[in-house]
Amino acid sequence: MSLLGASATAAPHILSLLRLFAAGSFFSHGSMKIFSWPAPFEYQMSGLVYIAGFMEVIGGPLLAIGLMTRPVAFMLSGLMAFAYFMAHAPQNFFPVLNGGEPSMLYCFLFLYISAAGPGPWSVDAAMARRANLRPAR
């Protein structure tokens, strides 16, 4: 098997790993805002920041296990686009200068996951496999 063939075979599993690790990291942003864990959130809390924190705390674990992956990833992508344009873009045009790189990267990462799906290691995939095993009625 060629290297190209091996990478194509591994791609769905790597997608699952990407989703899992991105979701775990994303959850930590929300847990800082809501629970001050693993460290206190260093910025002023507002209503929008609380909403974002709750979306991160709820959406992160849903994405990590791969449950309702496409709609959750799409909503979180929108959240990150909103965060970028509200908090970062007004400071400077360039993401590297306005501190918006994480928001921008999460936005497009979640947009990709919403289009590509959860990968084979997910609750969504397990439910789809189980539904296909049931006899048609």
Side-chain angles (χ1 to χ4, degrees):
M1 177 182 276
S2 71
L3 183 58
L4 186 58
S7 66
T9 303
H13 302 289
I14 293 170
L15 171 61
S16 288
L17 290 173
L18 175 67
R19 174 189 43 80
L20 177 64
F21 283 98
S25 176
F26 195 67
F27 170 79
S28 70
H29 288 275
S31 68
M32 284 178 66
K33 292 177 183 97
I34 304 302
F35 306 120
S36 294
W37 181 86
F41 188 61
E42 60 188 70
Y43 300 104
Q44 180 77 24
M45 292 296 287
S46 67
L48 290 176
V49 176
Y50 277 110
I51 291 169
F54 280 111
M55 289 179 73
E56 292 162 355
V57 164
I58 294 167
L62 286 173
L63 265 183
I65 65 172
L67 180 61
M68 300 184 302
T69 303
R70 290 177 192 266
V72 169
F74 188 75
M75 285 179 28
L76 295 180
S77 175
L79 172 68
M80 290 294 93
F82 184 78
Y84 181 81
F85 286 109
M86 289 293 294
H88 301 286
Q91 296 176 28
N92 194 296
F93 176 78
F94 298 102
V96 71
L97 298 177
N98 68 23
E101 283 180 299
S103 296
M104 180 186 66
L105 289 171
Y106 275 125
C107 175
F108 285 98
L109 173 63
F110 293 148
L111 186 61
Y112 172 71
I113 291 170
S114 75
W121 298 333
S122 65
V123 172
D124 289 342
M127 290 179 2
R129 285 191 300 270
R130 187 169 184 207
N132 287 337
L133 293 176
R134 292 188 182 153
R137 294 182 189 217

